[in-house]
Amino acid sequence: MLIEAILATALCAPLFIFFRERPPTPPSSSAEVSRENFIQGVKSLMKNKSFLWLIVVIGVGFGTLNAIGTVIESVVHPFGLSEVNAADLGIIMIMLGLAGSVALGIFAEKTKKYKVAVGACNLAGIISFAALIGVLYTQSMVGVSVLIGFMGFFLTALLPLGLEFAAEATFPVGEANSGGLLIAMSQVIGAAQVPSVIILISTKFSLDIYY
């Protein structure tokens, strides 16, 4: 870890030395608009109903994906899948998540239909979660892999879509404010779900042993 910390610090140092805070010429007309400071920005966001709905939708979807990714081994182990299977499922989730972020990001950028894209991702996530519950009982690695990949493809894309959607919906509030709150909500929801999932799995496993 010390080597990683040294390497990360060495790579970040040139950023503070050579990178400018802003380009000499504004890249767009919106870049010339003065932004609110952090406190004022947060107050504006808390009064923006569209942002509050968005932060809940993105937070629940992406936060739940993070929770599943954190406890994936505990989820699949009671159903006969091994640690190696759990690692493979994590890789599938990440790789297809990256692909989904690119594909859905391009779709949203070209069509500007961020609301449709976010809604489709959440609907796909609900369907995949419901199907995963049933498929786990079949102990089929192929079936679980397909659903985990499907889940990762759509729910991972929620974060980049949400960041862009929030920036559009809350302008002229700074992207750092809206994006920061969006990510924070996702992490809080994900962290809150982890112990709940572990308790449910432990209860299910204990009942199976008892009966």
Side-chain angles (χ1 to χ4, degrees):
M1 291 184 68
L2 178 60
I3 295 174
E4 291 179 358
I6 294 173
L7 182 60
T9 302
L11 292 173
C12 287
L15 176 68
F16 296 99
I17 298 172
F18 299 107
F19 277 54
R20 297 178 179 179
E21 183 177 354
R22 59 176 62 89
T25 303
S28 64
S29 58
S30 62
E32 298 182 280
V33 178
S34 60
R35 304 300 179 93
E36 298 175 335
N37 62 40
F38 179 77
I39 300 299
Q40 292 175 331
V42 171
K43 290 180 179 179
S44 297
L45 291 175
M46 292 299 101
K47 297 176 182 178
N48 189 323
K49 293 182 179 180
S50 297
F51 177 76
L52 294 178
W53 276 109
L54 182 63
I55 199 174
V56 171
V57 171
I58 302 297
V60 170
F62 191 72
T64 302
L65 181 70
N66 283 341
I68 293 296
T70 301
V71 298
I72 186 69
E73 182 182 347
S74 300
V75 170
V76 302
H77 179 70
F79 297 94
L81 299 182
S82 66
E83 294 180 3
V84 174
N85 294 145
D88 291 339
L89 291 172
I91 294 172
I92 291 171
M93 181 186 291
I94 292 171
M95 296 305 294
L96 288 180
L98 292 173
S101 297
V102 173
L104 292 168
I106 293 173
F107 166 80
E109 181 65 25
K110 288 186 175 181
T111 63
K112 303 300 180 183
K113 294 182 178 180
Y114 292 101
K115 187 175 181 179
V116 172
V118 169
C121 287
N122 276 284
L123 179 60
I126 293 171
I127 294 172
S128 58
F129 274 121
L132 181 63
I133 294 172
V135 172
L136 279 171
Y137 283 93
T138 69
Q139 300 184 356
S140 169
M141 179 60 182
V142 174
V144 174
S145 297
V146 170
L147 288 172
I148 286 291
F150 189 78
M151 187 187 306
F153 185 90
F154 286 99
L155 291 185
T156 303
L158 272 177
L159 186 59
L161 288 173
L163 292 173
E164 184 64 24
F165 196 4
E168 296 283 349
T170 61
F171 183 82
V173 176
E175 295 89 346
N177 288 4
S178 58
L181 287 176
L182 206 62
I183 294 172
M185 177 61 75
S186 300
Q187 298 302 319
V188 169
I189 293 176
Q193 290 188 44
V194 168
S196 302
V197 172
I198 293 176
I199 291 172
L200 288 173
I201 293 171
S202 301
T203 303
K204 186 265 178 196
F205 190 63
S206 300
L207 289 174
D208 286 348
I209 294 176
Y210 178 78
Y211 288 107

